[in-house]
Amino acid sequence: MSKLETAPVIPDEVRNRYEAVIGLEVHVQLLARSKIFCACSTRFGDPPNSNTCPVCLGLPGALPVLNREAVTMAMKAAMALNCTINPRSRFARKNYFYPDLPKGYQISQYDEPLSEHGWIDIEVEGKSKRIGITRVHLEEDAGKSLHEGFPDSNEKSYIDLNRTGVPLIEIVSEPDLRSPGEAYEYLTRLKTIMLYLEVSDCNMEEGSLRVDANVSVRPVGASALGTKTEVKNLNSFRFLQKALAYEIERQIEIVDRGAEITQETRLYDSREGRTYGMRSKEFAHDYRYFPEPDLLPLVITDMWRDDVRRSMPELPEVRRQRFMRDYALAAYDAAQLTASKALADYFEDIVKASAQPKLAANWVLGELAYLLKEAGKEIEKSPVRAANLAGLLQLIEQETVSGKMGKDILAAMFSSGKTAREVMSSQGLEQINDTEKIAAVAREIISANPKQVEQYRSGKTATFGWFVGQLMKATRGQANPQLVQDVLKKELAG
Amino acid sequence: MLVELTQLTITGIRDSLTRKQTSAEELVQAHLAQIEMRDAEVHAYLWHSPERALAQARRIDQMIAAGEELPPLAGVPTAVKDVILTKGSPTTCASRILENYTAPYDATAVKRLEAAGACILGKTNCDEFAMGSSTENSGFGPTHNPLDLTRVPGGSSGGSGAAVAANMATVALGSDTGGSIRQPASFCNVVGMMGTYGRVSRYGLVAFASSLDHIGPFGRSVRDVALVLQTIAGRDPMDSTSADVPVADYAAALDRDVSGLTVGVPKEYFTGLNPEIGDNIQKGIDLFAKLGCKIESITLPHTDYAIGCYYIICTAEASSNLARYDGVRYGFRSPEYDGLRDMYRQTRDHGFGAEVKRRIMLGTYVLSSGYYDAYYLKAQKVRTLVARDFVEAFDEVDVIVVPTSPIPPFKLGEKLDDPLQMYLADIYTVTASLAGIPGISVPCGKMKSDPRLPVGMQIFAKHFDETVLLQAAHAFEKSGGFDMG
């Protein structure tokens, strides 16, 4: 690490004269059951070095055999990113020494990748912007070096090779991104697509989604690119934005005073909120790529490609439009609901259980989203299952439950995992639809409050709301609100 | 009696076993005794596996006692080059860096041999990681040529060639990257063959240059070589480069008439070789003519570029294949080092021999940025041209006959300090390796002048035409070609 650098402070008028140019290299771990070149399991969290064999351990004499499932998943991803699938691609060896790289080289793809020339559209300030995808290629993951957390970590590093050979795709974007916000949008979009495809869980904490950024700055209007740095260690969406913001400021400050940017790899330190240059000598790799002689060229037949194309699931954009069309949802609601596959699936499960779509959208995006956020939970972990929320919404539609009661019931369902009916019977929250029961309560209130009755009858109709409130209070909110209105009007009319 | 047992061919062994003239255990014991007697001076073997061989022999003997049908290689005493994995035994590639390495699994070829009844006697010496042409680059001392102990047995599979030549095994497995089976077969006066690239699975063969590496057999007769090859050949799901091409019964087809075959003789292989070797090869060609073959002079115009091209490609691949020997997970680790980088440096400096380090450096250089196009890429293009030469030649001819080596077996130490001279010993063998075609070396008499050193003749055929290649070799053997001159 270089010496601590002071965080640059740039006046707006300087900043505005420059434009950032960002390209992202995203590694996505595929959810294939076995590793890319052997039959070992890809399961995360198993005891160290338990999912290994001579092939992924790189033992002498072992040879790689390509896993077709990984290729199919990579093709799905490439197609969803509008890439052209190359009918013939090649694996190549990327040579470097590292203890968690057992063969001394990584099998990747180099000058003949699986797919190229794609794009995705992102929303930038309400407008659509197209971001180019240079390539999507297949490669194997390396193992993990564990430098911390052991009693003798001060003198030893441990190596876990369970991850070695887990299939990855690398998605390289064109340098089309112009701000940390755009980079964030792009990555979000990418993640959504991968989750829709079910080719990756995109879990950043477990490392199944990893991002490196190439960053440079240039004067606004210039067409030549500035010298870039590669920023690594961006292990959350938030850090990506922060690191990019920092790096852009740092570069503008340097360029603006007429100095040169050093082309280098920089590490983001999330605690310090800065990027640091890595000693270039140590990382000046010549990877000596050459075609992998142990594997035949990867040939994608038309039939294989077409099979994969036919198996493509509905992608977010198409689903959003279908939600607007089929469920008459507003554009905003449809976009919100399709932002994640899990949420969209949850919503559709409710609708399929015969709830009214608009009502379902309101509850999913409103009350349920609020409860999830409060609990810090994702929709996948919602304690209220879609079928149970559908049950509650049916009760609301039938007016067995009022909207207000519904919120309380949902909260109880959320904390207990019970169905609406179970919550209601355990709390005695069933709606009162018996007109005579409500009328009896109304008469009690009327006889106990002659002054208010007088006011109402003398034309001060605003008092009506007070009566409603009293009645709801007396019935602990269980009275059917519509019946309450009718009954009160009748009773007050005398 | 014991001496006779060690001289048997596979067919002879089968006869003796089925007629109950001998037992598989006796056969193995006879070979162990022969090893005991001869190997102190030859040093063909690095490690012995008598328990494994005897256990297999007893299984075979039980089958015989039970009257069961015997597998094709039942009881055949077999040696395996130490670059091929044999589960539970040392597999060191004759390198100090793997001195204490025990193979955790069997190579596919070894599995297939044992399934066919072969008895694995042990692991044979070779040049370290199969890099060399004399077996002097072994980390555990050289092998001596059993025909003349002052001379090398060739290499890199010199131990396998010597073991078969000295009757310390009936057959042996070797590996051939640029001539490493054919050249020692020639030097040891035995038969050695490399099938088409992809014919035999490389799973469990420690990689030197993956796009050129082959496993192949040594034997004292063409039939033995054919029987071993057809046992180990065929598609293996563990090796993506193994070919899904049916394996013919080579042995059954051996006796087919070769008259009418066209034998190509490329002029490029007859300049700059020892004239006495040239004489013998010419006699060999004349013998084919006598057998009714049509002899045709052909040209393989890119032959001159083959050796340079070969040494670029094989060193490039070796530099990457040998990266895994880094002292981190298995094998030798330097006891003294200062940090990770120094551990790599010390381990590889002390673990590898000079020739291996030379090739790693050459290979690293030709792949490095700025040199890749000029060397590696250019070499790949030359390789395509060399291969095309053969494709065009095989439009005209059925087999091609050339010398195996331009020089006879040389003295130990003679070329050790001149790597370039050593590389040139492969000049007639690397072409078939680059083209991926099958090649066999058969004995072709002895040189006229004393000390009457053996001469080897190569026969090439087109991709997956092992049958015709073996037929030609067998016809040559039957007509006394091995002993002529």
Side-chain angles (χ1 to χ4, degrees), chain A residues 88-336:
Chain A
R88 184 182 184 277
S89 66
R90 271 198 95 115
F91 287 93
R93 291 188 185 176
K94 178 180 182 179
N95 296 284
Y96 65 96
F97 284 95
Y98 206 70
D100 61 24
L101 188 72
K103 296 190 297 296
Y105 56 85
Q106 177 195 28
I107 304 178
S108 178
Q109 294 192 298
Y110 184 54
D111 51 357
E112 297 174 75
L114 175 72
S115 61
E116 293 168 280
H117 315 303
W119 47 266
I120 53 170
D121 291 328
I122 62 169
E123 292 281 311
V124 178
E125 288 157 4
K127 275 186 272 178
S128 180
K129 178 174 174 178
R130 182 154 291 185
I131 307 299
I133 309 280
T134 315
R135 56 193 273 152
V136 175
H137 76 239
L138 264 167
E139 61 186 28
E140 59 176 343
D141 209 342
K144 247 188 248 176
S145 294
L146 309 165
H147 302 297
E148 288 166 10
F150 293 92
D152 50 357
S153 280
N154 56 334
E155 56 187 35
K156 273 186 190 160
S157 290
Y158 286 79
I159 295 169
D160 179 3
L161 296 177
N162 279 353
R163 203 179 68 179
T164 309
V166 169
L168 293 178
I169 49 172
E170 182 174 338
I171 303 165
V172 182
S173 86
E174 291 288 307
D176 290 344
L177 303 161
R178 293 290 172 268
S179 67
E182 288 188 20
Y184 180 91
E185 279 303 314
Y186 167 80
L187 191 62
T188 304
R189 197 92 197 127
L190 212 59
K191 179 178 168 180
T192 307
I193 293 170
M194 295 305 133
L195 291 175
Y196 263 79
L197 295 170
E198 294 178 323
V199 297
S200 176
D201 60 20
C202 291
N203 186 331
M204 274 187 126
E205 276 154 38
E206 293 178 3
S208 47
L209 179 72
R210 307 198 279 268
V211 191
D212 301 330
N214 288 307
V215 188
S216 64
V217 298
R218 65 183 171 191
V220 171
S223 58
L225 292 169
T227 305
K228 68 176 180 185
T229 59
E230 187 180 8
V231 184
K232 288 183 179 280
N233 205 27
L234 307 170
N235 42 28
S236 79
F237 277 68
R238 203 161 55 91
F239 292 157
L240 168 72
Q241 273 186 297
K242 286 185 150 191
L244 287 175
Y246 173 86
E247 182 60 15
I248 290 163
E249 298 270 299
R250 188 188 73 86
Q251 292 193 12
I252 290 175
E253 191 274 329
I254 293 170
V255 171
D256 197 59
R257 64 176 147 83
E260 300 261 317
I261 303 288
T262 311
Q263 181 160 354
E264 63 181 349
T265 299
R266 298 180 67 83
L267 274 190
Y268 179 65
D269 184 325
S270 57
R271 270 171 303 187
E272 303 253 346
R274 291 169 193 196
T275 66
Y276 291 97
M278 294 159 85
R279 263 183 306 185
S280 53
K281 204 177 87 187
E282 208 161 307
F283 296 91
H285 283 305
D286 178 353
Y287 290 120
R288 295 176 286 120
Y289 281 101
F290 74 103
E292 166 58 278
D294 286 332
L295 290 166
L296 301 174
L298 173 54
V299 174
I300 310 289
T301 59
D302 290 354
M303 201 168 78
W304 191 2
R305 192 196 54 218
D306 294 346
D307 278 353
V308 173
R309 203 176 287 287
R310 269 193 296 275
S311 74
M312 291 286 279
E314 188 180 38
L315 291 171
E317 183 53 30
V318 177
R319 198 170 197 183
R320 185 177 70 88
Q321 283 171 16
R322 181 169 62 80
F323 276 20
M324 289 169 66
R325 192 178 62 238
D326 291 2
Y327 303 134
L329 296 182
Y332 181 80
D333 285 358
Q336 293 272 101

Side-chain angles (χ1 to χ4, degrees), chain A residues 323-380:
Chain A
F323 276 20
M324 289 169 66
R325 192 178 62 238
D326 291 2
Y327 303 134
L329 296 182
Y332 181 80
D333 285 358
Q336 293 272 101
L337 284 170
T338 54
S340 101
K341 178 172 189 296
L343 188 63
D345 286 347
Y346 189 93
F347 167 75
E348 285 214 282
D349 285 347
I350 296 173
V351 174
K352 276 183 202 133
S354 82
Q356 199 245 325
K358 181 70 193 147
L359 184 71
N362 286 345
W363 278 80
V364 170
L365 294 174
E367 206 56 28
L368 180 68
Y370 168 79
L371 290 168
L372 287 168
K373 199 179 168 204
E374 286 290 293
K377 283 192 164 115
E378 297 292 322
I379 188 73
E380 293 90 331

Side-chain angles (χ1 to χ4, degrees), chain B residues 57-383:
Chain B
R58 284 180 201 120
R59 268 194 297 275
I60 300 294
D61 288 334
Q62 277 163 16
M63 290 175 82
I64 294 168
E68 289 173 41
E69 169 97 22
L70 289 184
L73 302 182
V76 175
T78 304
V80 176
K81 186 180 183 181
D82 204 34
V83 293
I84 300 167
L85 273 75
T86 45
K87 188 177 178 177
S89 339
T91 298
T92 67
C93 306
S95 180
R96 293 276 172 196
I97 212 158
L98 284 175
E99 187 162 3
N100 299 312
Y101 190 70
T102 301
Y105 64 97
D106 277 322
T108 300
V110 169
K111 255 191 209 161
R112 289 182 178 176
L113 277 184
E114 285 196 319
C119 303
I120 310 281
L121 297 170
K123 306 297 289 290
T124 55
N125 199 10
C126 54
D127 289 297
E128 185 179 2
F129 285 104
M131 296 179 188
S133 309
S134 69
T135 314
E136 292 167 291
N137 294 332
S138 168
F140 307 109
T143 296
H144 298 256
N145 192 324
L147 281 65
D148 177 347
L149 293 172
T150 65
R151 293 178 189 270
V152 302
S156 64
S157 313
S160 290
V164 171
N167 298 331
M168 294 189 282
T170 306
V171 293
L173 288 187
S175 73
D176 192 317
T177 305
S180 280
I181 289 174
R182 292 161 288 154
Q183 188 254 19
S186 160
F187 279 20
C188 294
N189 207 36
V190 295
V191 184
M193 178 164 175
M194 161 188 92
T196 307
Y197 184 79
R199 180 71 297 180
V200 178
S201 167
R202 292 184 292 119
Y203 193 73
L205 166 64
V206 178
F208 156 19
S210 315
S211 76
L212 295 156
D213 289 344
H214 303 69
I215 291 178
F218 283 89
R220 292 187 294 269
S221 73
V222 173
R223 187 176 298 278
D224 282 4
V225 161
L227 284 166
V228 175
L229 183 68
Q230 71 192 48
T231 302
I232 60 176
R235 169 83 185 142
D236 175 12
M238 297 302 277
D239 176 0
S240 315
T241 63
S242 72
D244 199 2
V245 175
V247 180
D249 187 343
Y250 304 131
L254 284 180
D255 289 305
R256 223 176 283 163
D257 187 10
V258 295
S259 67
L261 281 187
T262 308
V263 174
V265 181
K267 59 177 197 289
E268 289 82 2
Y269 288 71
F270 293 87
T271 51
L273 83 165
N274 180 302
E276 288 190 39
I277 292 177
D279 291 347
N280 280 40
I281 302 299
Q282 188 52 54
K283 281 181 197 160
I285 293 164
D286 295 344
L287 184 55
F288 277 114
K290 268 183 230 152
L291 290 169
C293 297
K294 193 179 154 207
I295 311 299
E296 201 164 300
S297 178
I298 59 166
T299 175
L300 298 166
H302 295 92
T303 302
D304 280 356
Y305 306 106
I307 201 91
C309 163
Y310 169 79
Y311 274 96
I312 288 170
I313 292 171
C314 80
T315 57
E317 292 182 11
S319 72
S320 174
N321 281 330
L322 271 63
R324 67 190 65 190
Y325 310 108
D326 57 6
V328 173
R329 295 161 307 277
Y330 51 81
F332 169 78
R333 180 190 290 183
S334 170
E336 280 167 36
Y337 56 86
D338 178 21
L340 177 66
R341 269 155 198 282
D342 194 49
M343 192 277 278
Y344 287 150
R345 203 173 292 128
Q346 301 290 344
T347 296
R348 290 167 68 80
D349 190 16
H350 294 113
F352 289 134
E355 181 59 26
V356 170
K357 284 187 277 191
R358 182 180 296 122
R359 295 199 192 191
I360 289 173
M361 285 193 288
L362 273 172
T364 303
Y365 177 79
V366 300
L367 286 177
S368 49
S369 107
Y371 298 96
Y372 181 88
D373 290 4
Y375 293 106
Y376 187 78
L377 208 59
K378 184 66 71 66
Q380 288 294 359
K381 286 176 184 161
V382 173
R383 182 175 190 174

